Amino acid sequence: VQLVESGGGLVPAGGSLRLSCAASQFPFDDYAIFWFRQAPGKEREEISCITNTNGSPFYADSVQGRFTVSSDNAKNTIYLQMNSLKPEDTAVYYCAADFGYGLGYVLGCDHPRSEYDSWGQGTQVTVSS
């Protein structure tokens, strides 16, 4: 399954962007889609997750209240609406998917994972001060 991110760009502080993560298909009924970001010289940070299994979406403290994750299952697409952007949000943003290939089922967003079934190529978000 291929994941393709889009929607990145350059915005001033306080602005908004909506990222998309389009999957070539959802191979099974269940999924968990994660959003990560990585800034230069920093470790990759998990910032959000959405699943269609039991469980609530996840947001890192750094984006809670400003970012919203949503899904359009008809389009096999996950969105990350980013509002009130700050310069420290500048990073490459990636989506990653858990379709349950390893376990045969999908864990909730609150369960840690050591690997993911698919990754996107990333989209650059730059927030100017």
Side-chain angles (χ1 to χ4, degrees):
V1 177
Q2 184 179 12
L3 301 179
V4 179
E5 299 100 336
S6 61
L10 173 64
V11 294
S16 297
L17 284 173
R18 189 179 77 161
L19 304 184
S20 299
C21 173
S24 54
Q25 61 176 323
F26 281 161
F28 306 113
D29 291 339
D30 297 335
Y31 62 80
I33 306 294
F34 296 79
W35 285 98
F36 294 85
R37 67 185 182 186
Q38 188 164 22
K42 295 188 177 181
E43 293 189 354
R44 186 178 69 195
E45 177 188 15
E46 179 185 331
I47 58 171
S48 186
C49 169
I50 188 168
T51 178
N52 65 342
T53 65
N54 291 331
S56 301
F58 163 80
Y59 298 99
D61 290 343
S62 57
V63 305
Q64 178 76 46
R66 300 187 298 123
F67 291 11
T68 303
V69 64
S70 62
S71 63
D72 185 337
N73 292 332
K75 296 182 178 180
N76 294 344
T77 300
I78 305 299
Y79 301 100
L80 185 68
Q81 178 66 43
M82 306 187 298
N83 299 328
S84 302
L85 283 163
K86 305 174 182 179
E88 51 263 44
D89 293 319
T90 296
V92 178
Y93 284 69
Y94 301 88
C95 59
D98 176 2
F99 296 120
Y101 290 156
L103 296 176
Y105 56 91
V106 176
L107 296 168
C109 286
D110 57 342
H111 288 264
R113 289 154 167 87
S114 60
E115 59 183 6
Y116 299 83
D117 294 323
S118 185
W119 283 87
Q121 83 290 350
T123 186
Q124 176 70 46
V125 171
T126 303
V127 184
S128 61
S129 57

